[in-house]
Amino acid sequence: MKMTAFKGVLAVAGIQLITATMALATDITVWCWAPEFNGAAMNEAIARYTAANPDTKITVVDFAKGDLETKLQTQLASGTTEGLPDIVLIEDYGAQKYLLSFPGAFEPLTDKIDYSQFAKYKVELATVEGQTYSLPFDSGVTGLFYRSDLLEQAGYKADALKDITWEELSAIGDKVKEVTGKPLLSVDMNDAGAIRIMLQSAGSWYFNADGTANIKDNPVFKAALTSWVGMLKNQNLYKSVSGWGDYTGAFNNGDVAGVFTGVWMTGGIKGNNMSGKWAVAPIPKLAGVEGAGHASNLGGSSWYVLSSAPSKDAAIDFLQKVWASDVDFYQKILVGQGAFAAYLPARDGEAYSAADAYFGGQSVWKDFSDWQAAIPGVNYGIFTNEADAAVTAQLPGLIDGGDIDAAIEAIDAQIAQQIQ
């Protein structure tokens, strides 16, 4: 009887131990897009965190970017929190829209994260009424990635791409096409990223600080639209593509000789097995615009914790322990994915000063660091997507010879209608 009783005690103790272990286990769900970039960086962070926290399971759910935004928007608008993730990636252009449209949906991290350690412009984008909500992730500092072997065939070395205007880049494209048979760029007419790059490079944006449209009487906007339309009229300059796959495939497959975009494209370019054949130059500047420079931003995103998240505290701990403190982590994702950190201490690491053989020995990360320091700060507001749509709607007519001033009036009117 004593042995039976003892076994019974052991059985009860075993059940209690299992129950306690189950209670300690934590599941965290993350939503993001671009598995080769955002997903890969997040998986590296997960490996580091779960090595020290084996009872935590973190699952990454990959979406197409548009699908994620639609699903998040729809569910937040419905008021139903079931099925939402613990952590979600949000592009910086959309941050203010989510935060202002869905107050209370995202957990403020003001007292949880030391924001003095992050790039100031990224922190401001996620701050509303004194509360900051994001864990800033990647910078979108821009550069002109180009096939150095092809441009050298056309007579252009690295110095020839410094301190040039967009019009001069177009002329370079003519020569590259003539000599190599390849256009310099791939262009999707439904993407207004070029306009955004040009605007921010001169410290301007679609909107004023008070949210009103900054289109009609904005000389920077007119200069940007004029430059971009002039480039689009030069059919030697680019290959017309449709959608993300065609856009990236054009330079990944060697169909075009370059791309101007954010630093986050580095990982994709380095997957092309073309080591030594690529280089990076500063973006061109707007001609005739006072204060215009060669530094700008495109995209970039940050991590947000949902207030309704069942594992909210664990999610915040995960962000604190890796994303807000692990300098070595940022070296790893820089080299592996080209994830250029908004976490300032990471830039003291060796990876940020190292030469990169893939880019012909160029210290690309140091260059991007220098360019990032010169990016003008602007307030993206909450209607960037609507402004993009208004711009792209006018491009076909402008390419066919339409009047710039009339197009600007139409863009301004469409934006005014959409933001009412």
Side-chain angles (χ1 to χ4, degrees):
M1 289 291 293
K2 290 183 178 179
M3 181 59 69
T4 302
F6 181 67
K7 288 180 178 179
V9 170
L10 286 177
V12 171
I15 292 171
Q16 290 175 336
L17 179 60
I18 292 170
T19 302
T21 302
M22 291 174 64
L24 291 172
T26 304
D27 289 330
I28 297 172
T29 300
V30 179
W31 285 3
C32 66
W33 64 89
E36 75 287 350
F37 180 75
N38 300 313
M42 177 54 78
N43 282 324
E44 173 64 25
I46 290 169
R48 289 167 181 259
Y49 185 78
T50 55
N53 299 272
D55 293 319
T56 300
K57 178 183 178 183
I58 306 177
T59 303
V60 177
V61 181
D62 290 310
F63 292 84
K65 179 173 176 290
D67 292 344
L68 184 153
E69 291 169 343
T70 298
K71 186 174 177 63
L72 181 63
Q73 174 87 15
T74 300
Q75 194 149 350
L76 289 175
S78 73
T80 303
T81 59
E82 185 177 354
L84 285 172
D86 300 277
I87 299 171
V88 64
L89 188 68
I90 295 178
E91 188 177 38
D92 292 336
Y93 293 125
Q96 290 284 318
K97 187 169 188 175
Y98 281 106
L99 294 173
L100 294 172
S101 299
F102 304 107
F106 301 95
E107 186 71 9
L109 303 178
T110 312
D111 299 326
K112 309 291 196 315
I113 303 296
D114 181 2
Y115 284 109
S116 70
Q117 300 299 298
F118 290 87
K120 186 178 179 182
Y121 87 96
K122 293 277 287 188
V123 176
E124 291 176 353
L125 293 170
T127 300
V128 174
E129 296 181 355
Q131 293 288 340
T132 305
Y133 293 83
S134 79
L135 190 293
F137 176 24
D138 65 312
S139 166
V141 55
T142 51
L144 171 63
F145 295 86
Y146 65 94
R147 285 279 301 278
S148 54
D149 57 335
L150 296 178
L151 266 73
E152 284 186 15
Q153 287 181 34
Y156 299 104
K157 294 189 176 181
D159 286 346
L161 297 175
K162 295 178 180 177
D163 197 26
I164 63 172
T165 65
W166 294 101
E167 287 73 18
E168 288 171 325
L169 180 66
S170 186
I172 290 171
D174 281 330
K175 185 67 173 178
V176 170
K177 181 67 180 293
E178 176 188 344
V179 173
T180 70
K182 295 181 183 294
L184 181 59
L185 306 171
S186 55
V187 171
D188 186 341
M189 296 293 181
N190 293 313
D191 187 339
I195 296 292
R196 280 184 258 133
I197 289 172
M198 292 177 182
L199 286 174
Q200 190 163 359
S201 72
S204 188
W205 199 247
Y206 293 132
F207 304 100
N208 296 304
D210 62 1
T212 57
N214 187 26
I215 302 295
K216 274 200 306 187
D217 299 317
N218 182 355
V220 179
F221 181 80
K222 184 173 183 178
L225 187 62
T226 301
S227 290
W228 186 229
V229 170
M231 294 172 71
L232 294 178
K233 288 180 177 181
N234 180 5
Q235 295 187 3
N236 290 325
L237 176 64
Y238 64 95
K239 175 184 179 180
S240 183
V241 297
S242 178
W244 182 255
D246 284 348
Y247 169 70
T248 58
F251 51 83
N252 286 338
N253 298 331
D255 297 334
V256 300
V259 58
F260 61 90
T261 188
V263 63
W264 37 260
M265 190 63 80
T266 305
I269 288 174
K270 291 181 76 170
N272 298 337
N273 196 27
M274 298 181 189
S275 182
K277 297 181 179 180
W278 283 88
V280 190
I283 60 165
K285 67 179 180 182
L286 286 170
V289 174
E290 185 177 355
H294 298 283
S296 192
N297 182 79
L298 181 66
S301 53
S302 299
W303 303 105
Y304 291 77
V305 176
L306 277 296
S307 295
S308 60
S311 300
K312 176 172 63 180
D313 291 341
I316 293 172
D317 186 67
F318 166 53
L319 294 178
Q320 290 172 326
K321 296 289 174 56
V322 181
W323 292 91
S325 63
D326 190 339
V327 170
D328 181 69
F329 161 69
Y330 283 106
Q331 310 304 303
K332 182 74 177 290
I333 64 173
L334 176 71
V335 174
Q337 284 74 47
F340 195 78
Y343 184 57
L344 300 178
R347 292 168 197 175
D348 294 328
E350 291 183 4
Y352 278 80
S353 59
D356 194 317
Y358 197 93
F359 292 97
Q362 180 180 355
S363 298
V364 291
W365 308 121
K366 181 182 184 304
D367 288 337
F368 277 119
S369 293
D370 292 342
W371 302 336
Q372 179 169 243
I375 296 174
V378 297
N379 187 337
Y380 293 149
I382 64 175
F383 294 109
T384 291
N385 291 337
E386 288 79 0
D388 279 353
V391 169
T392 57
Q394 295 299 317
L395 292 179
L398 287 169
I399 294 169
D400 287 341
D403 181 70
I404 284 284
D405 290 324
I408 290 173
E409 289 280 351
I411 292 167
D412 185 74
Q414 182 172 331
I415 291 173
Q417 183 179 29
Q418 290 179 323
I419 68 176
Q420 286 180 349

